[in-house]
Amino acid sequence: MESRQTSNASANRLQFLVGEERGLRDVISEAEVLPLLRGAVRAGAFAAALADAEGKVLWSHAAPDAGEQGGSAGLRGPAILLEGEPVGSVLVKGEQGREEFLKGIAVMLTAAVNLLVGSNLKRMLTTEIHTTVVNQSYEELLETNRKLAASEARYRELAESLEIKVEERTAELKKALARLLQQEKLASVGQLAAGIAHEINNPMGFVTSNIHTMQKYLARFVEMLQFSRDLVAGAPGEAERERFAGKWRQLKLDMVLADVDELVSQSLGGAERVKKIVADLKGFSHIDDLGETVADLNAELDRTLAVLVHEIPPGAEIVREYGTLPGFSCRAGELCQVFLNIIVNACQARNAGLRIVIRTELSGDAIVIAFTDNGPGIPQEFLPRVFEPFFTTRPVGQGMGMGLAVVYDVVTAHGGTVEAGNSPEGGASFVVRLPLSSA
Amino acid sequence: MIEYDAEQKRMVLKLVYYGPAMSGKTTNLLKLHDLITQEGRGDLMVLDTTDDRTIFFDLLPFFLVAPSGLKIKVKVYTVPGQVRHDATRKAVLQRADGVVFVADSQLAEAANNFESFDNLEKNLAFVGIDIEKVPLVVQFNKRDLKNVASEEEIARVWGPTGVPVTTASALEGWGVVETFTKLLELTYAAIDRKYRLLEEHGLDGASFVRQMTNVGER
Ligand SMILES: Nc1nc2c(ncn2[C@@H]2O[C@H](COP(=O)(O)OP(=O)(O)O)[C@@H](O)[C@H]2O)c(=O)[nH]1
Ligand SMILES: [Mg+2]
């Protein structure tokens, strides 16, 4: 009976509910949306805006000279959904006659806003339940405290352990929160990138196919031009021949004809490259995988390196000493994140002459992946702390010091271990060991 | 219980999938998400389940509009089953308008089912919900496995309580929509009494259920 009363008392004090209703403006902010709108304008729209369900514009961005350009009527994207409810849409304005293009932009912008809404909502829900649970635990602690007061002797004894518990709890919560923040951030950045990559595929499809068609048409133009030239060359009438040749020179058609093929094939090459980047990005984020898959970790390392090309300092040497590995059942996207964090870390070890060796092998019943760089190594006193959240020796602004903490978490969650050390030559080394059995 | 705002013409319902750890609650929502194709079905949010976190439940939202213009949002949650996440369970259970209890049919799980149902009773009382009145459906899941409690045994235990019981294999995808439908029917009946959904908003039980469970051709 007594415990029932206690429970009710603390239920009354509970202030947070899970799943509070939210509108569009509660979920996303101007600071998050404006860059997306600016992106749309940079991509070629005159103006872009986000409106709520009633059509009222919440935020907008226009090109500086949009006023003079006039342009098309506003084009509305598909509905933005918040928990299934249509809560707004994007509006895009642009050049008259380019509706298809503007529609593409509107669709892309909508996808980006939807992703933002989804990941923010998830983050809010996580924080919300966290707050609720923490509050409740706090109430429970108070309750314990009150009971303790009843018996002075027991109180003394228990209060000590309670204090330790509170300390432990606080440290634990701090760690959990830090990890959560980082994971959410990684997840949402990855999702956003992958989502946009996905959306880029569609327009890229028609761009590529149109260029192919244009290539065919161009060949016909070229043929017709040459045909006319031959025809005119043989025709009587000196004056006409001279006019034709003059116009030919004025339009620099010799140069154009020599160049046009090259231009088109270069554009096709560029389109192919975009497709490849998108494929790399999607592969890396494993956006299409749910849960565990069987992965070839050598291929995952290659994928990660492909995504990282621009982070690796010029002139750096990456040595891949891959052994033969069996398929490994894992959450591959998370492991890619591990590889990425370790490699990015190594890239910052030294500026010129950087060399990173990545060795993989099957050792007993575990896959071992060793990353060694030729930087200055890790000072002995830091070795025990490198995997702690927020531990960083780099200046403020260069990362939160979360990269290696995430490495530790992910590897541990896969039943593996990761060790930081220094190679005999002096550089830092990270050895990830993933047992085949536990996966 | 229910959140109702006459001025804004909005209503928010909360349905909760309760049960022991690993009984198939998340799988139920995953299947509902896959099977139901109605336009207002939102995305499933799985708040992740790595082992040492205090913070997980799943959420599948739905949205529909009654003929009167009343906007109805239905949020379907799962709770974490592990004993140590009781605080999360209480928080999610607060203000619930309906509950599905997902039991694991395997004989070896009988004790866990019992313990979890006991915990449901306690926590409903804790958050001030009368277990006799709240719409409640019990689902016996994992019927595809061997060594499961027989239907006769289930009927013998649950028959006298009057609580509706469904059987399902969330893994294979059957019984899931049926369980959800049953809960929606009970929930509709409970709120119609109070909010006159039919008289004032022109929404009858059958079309509420139909709109929520529009199962696509697949
Ligand atoms: N054989 C079988 N397995 C199931 C069924 N439903 C769920 N599972 C499995 O049981 C495990 C736990 O399911 P999950 O939905 O995560 O349980 P939760 O903890 O209640 O959310 C998973 O491995 C599921 O694949 C079912 O109907 N039959
Ligand atoms: Mg679950």
Side-chain angles (χ1 to χ4, degrees):
Chain A
M1 199 59 236
E2 199 192 307
S3 78
R4 168 65 62 82
Q5 266 170 2
T6 314
S7 309
N8 280 338
S10 94
N12 291 339
R13 279 195 299 273
L14 257 182
Q15 286 172 4
F16 291 84
L17 277 176
V18 173
E20 196 191 330
E21 272 295 286
R22 298 189 170 86
L24 186 58
R25 294 190 71 144
D26 305 323
V27 177
I28 54 179
S29 68
E30 180 168 17
E32 290 168 315
V33 173
L34 272 186
L36 298 177
L37 299 179
R38 267 189 228 117
V41 169
R42 225 177 296 121
F46 292 170
L50 178 65
D52 65 13
E54 278 77 47
K56 199 180 104 218
V57 169
L58 300 177
W59 302 296
S60 62
H61 180 74
D65 48 359
E68 296 119 59
Q69 285 170 321
S72 68
L75 222 145
R76 187 177 294 273
I80 289 163
L81 297 176
L82 176 61
E83 299 184 324
E85 175 177 0
V87 287
S89 54
V90 303
L91 299 166
V92 176
K93 265 188 205 173
E95 206 176 314
Q96 200 89 46
R98 295 184 74 195
E99 277 69 21
E100 268 312 302
F101 165 76
L102 292 174
K103 212 150 96 194
I105 290 196
V107 166
M108 251 159 92
L109 195 54
T110 305
V113 175
N114 268 329
L115 272 164
L116 194 63
V117 167
S119 59
N120 281 0
L121 198 63
K122 189 162 166 180
R123 200 191 61 230
M124 287 171 146
L125 276 171
T126 316
T127 330
E128 189 177 55
I129 182 94
H130 195 255
T131 322
T132 312
V133 172
V134 172
N135 267 19
Q136 223 167 322
S137 310
Y138 178 69
E139 295 297 341
E140 277 159 18
L141 281 177
L142 282 184
E143 199 57 47
T144 319
N145 232 344
R146 253 193 299 276
K147 276 190 205 144
L148 288 175
S151 147
E152 175 90 46
R154 256 184 82 220
Y155 173 73
R156 237 179 266 272
E157 182 198 344
L158 282 175
E160 260 164 46
S161 70
L162 192 66
E163 208 166 282
I164 296 168
K165 249 198 214 138
V166 172
E167 255 166 42
E168 277 174 9
R169 179 106 195 137
T170 314
E172 224 173 74
L173 284 177
K174 212 171 114 190
K175 259 165 65 188
L177 195 68
R179 227 178 288 146
L180 211 68
L181 273 176
Q182 180 66 4
Q183 279 173 358
E184 285 292 322
K185 204 172 97 191
L186 290 175
S188 52
V189 169
Q191 274 172 12
L192 198 64
I196 289 177
H198 185 78
E199 290 297 332
I200 287 176
N201 262 341
N202 287 332
M204 270 328 282
F206 66 74
V207 167
T208 312
S209 122
N210 289 355
I211 298 181
H212 272 296
T213 315
M214 248 161 65
Q215 198 170 30
K216 275 188 229 140
Y217 291 173
L218 264 176
R220 289 193 209 165
F221 289 151
V222 169
E223 194 182 329
M224 187 65 205
L225 271 175
Q226 268 153 2
F227 178 75
S228 332
R229 180 157 66 165
D230 294 348
L231 201 67
V232 171
E238 177 73 24
E240 278 73 24
R241 279 209 302 275
E242 197 31 59
R243 264 180 69 201
F244 186 89
K247 192 72 188 172
W248 188 278
R249 274 193 303 278
Q250 187 202 342
L251 294 177
K252 299 196 181 114
L253 284 187
D254 280 329
M255 189 273 283
V256 169
L257 287 180
D259 203 22
V260 70
D261 264 350
E262 181 64 17
L263 284 186
V264 174
S265 17
Q266 267 181 20
S267 306
L268 274 175
E272 282 308 317
R273 247 167 58 207
V274 172
K275 250 167 83 180
K276 165 98 174 42
I277 294 170
V278 169
D280 281 344
L281 204 56
K282 276 181 77 177
F284 170 77
S285 68
H286 287 267
I287 189 86
D288 298 328
D289 297 352
L290 288 172
E292 303 225 332
T293 51
V294 176
D296 169 1
L297 294 190
N298 289 335
E300 299 300 338
L301 279 163
D302 284 339
R303 253 192 235 279
T304 308
L305 287 166
V307 169
L308 269 176
V309 266
H310 296 291
E311 298 297 317
I312 295 171
E317 189 189 356
I318 308 278
V319 184
R320 306 175 203 210
E321 295 179 359
Y322 293 169
T324 311
L325 301 181
F328 182 63
S329 166
C330 59
R331 292 177 295 282
E334 290 181 11
L335 284 184
C336 281
Q337 192 67 55
V338 165
F339 302 154
L340 182 128
N341 291 1
I342 295 179
I343 297 170
V344 166
N345 197 59
C347 284
Q348 292 162 344
R350 135 180 206 165
N351 283 328
L354 175 68
R355 181 181 147 97
I356 302 174
V357 181
I358 305 175
R359 248 185 92 82
T360 67
E361 64 176 0
L362 181 65
S363 162
D365 57 356
I367 289 177
V368 178
I369 307 168
F371 302 81
T372 317
D373 65 46
N374 61 347
I378 305 168
Q380 205 61 36
E381 69 268 29
F382 293 157
L383 275 179
R385 299 193 55 199
V386 289
F387 295 115
E388 281 179 23
F390 297 123
F391 181 79
T392 177
T393 55
R394 305 218 165 88
V396 176
Q398 288 197 18
M400 298 211 297
M402 285 301 296
L404 294 176
V406 170
V407 165
Y408 183 85
D409 273 355
V410 171
V411 172
T412 315
H414 279 85
T417 58
V418 51
E419 270 172 44
N422 290 308
S423 67
E425 295 77 36
S429 80
F430 286 87
V431 181
V432 176
R433 192 178 294 270
L434 298 162
L436 292 171
S437 52
S438 90
Chain B
M1 301 291 116
I2 197 169
E3 274 181 64
Y4 178 67
D5 185 334
E7 210 163 292
Q8 298 267 339
K9 301 194 82 177
R10 277 185 86 83
M11 176 181 272
V12 183
L13 297 175
K14 182 175 189 179
L15 305 177
V16 177
Y17 277 60
Y18 211 93
M22 304 293 285
S23 68
K25 299 176 293 294
T26 302
T27 312
N28 259 278
L29 289 209
L30 280 168
K31 279 289 157 10
L32 282 179
H33 178 268
D34 289 349
L35 291 171
I36 295 181
T37 56
Q38 72 117 333
E39 207 180 310
R41 174 184 54 55
D43 287 334
L44 174 64
M45 255 176 269
V46 177
L47 298 194
D48 226 340
T49 323
T50 19
D51 214 50
D52 60 340
R53 289 206 235 150
T54 8
I55 311 153
F56 9 90
F57 59 87
D58 314 312
L59 166 59
L60 179 60
F62 292 83
F63 178 74
L64 63 124
V65 183
S68 68
L70 177 72
K71 295 176 182 158
I72 305 179
K73 190 171 271 184
V74 182
K75 300 187 181 187
V76 186
Y77 291 87
T78 69
V79 296
Q82 288 80 356
V83 175
R84 66 180 180 284
H85 296 315
D86 205 41
T88 308
R89 270 196 299 279
K90 284 176 188 151
V92 176
L93 203 58
Q94 267 181 335
R95 291 221 205 166
D97 298 293
V99 177
V100 170
F101 181 82
V102 180
D104 191 328
S105 296
Q106 297 177 90
L107 291 170
E109 298 296 319
N112 286 336
N113 291 336
F114 177 80
E115 196 183 328
S116 177
F117 196 82
D118 192 49
N119 176 263
L120 172 62
E121 284 185 316
K122 279 211 186 77
N123 281 343
L124 280 173
F126 178 93
V127 298
I129 297 177
D130 184 349
I131 193 166
E132 298 293 331
K133 295 211 180 103
V134 71
L136 173 67
V137 178
V138 171
Q139 178 193 71
F140 272 82
N141 187 29
K142 306 201 183 179
R143 301 305 296 170
D144 56 295
L145 295 178
K146 294 200 193 75
N147 294 323
V148 295
S150 70
E151 306 231 353
E152 296 76 54
E153 171 69 9
I154 294 172
R156 194 178 62 74
V157 174
W158 288 91
T161 65
V163 175
V165 176
T166 60
T167 52
S169 167
L171 193 66
E172 291 175 354
W174 58 268
V176 169
V177 175
E178 289 75 0
T179 307
F180 189 48
T181 301
K182 188 79 215 159
L183 180 69
L184 289 172
E185 285 167 1
L186 295 177
T187 308
Y188 177 90
I191 55 180
D192 179 41
R193 243 172 275 146
K194 211 157 145 198
Y195 295 94
R196 305 158 62 89
L197 286 181
L198 180 57
E199 278 168 57
E200 267 179 37
H201 297 288
L203 182 67
D204 64 78
S207 66
F208 171 69
V209 172
R210 188 161 8 87
Q211 280 193 57
M212 287 284 299
T213 58
N214 206 338
V215 178
E217 318 276 285
R218 282 214 296 174

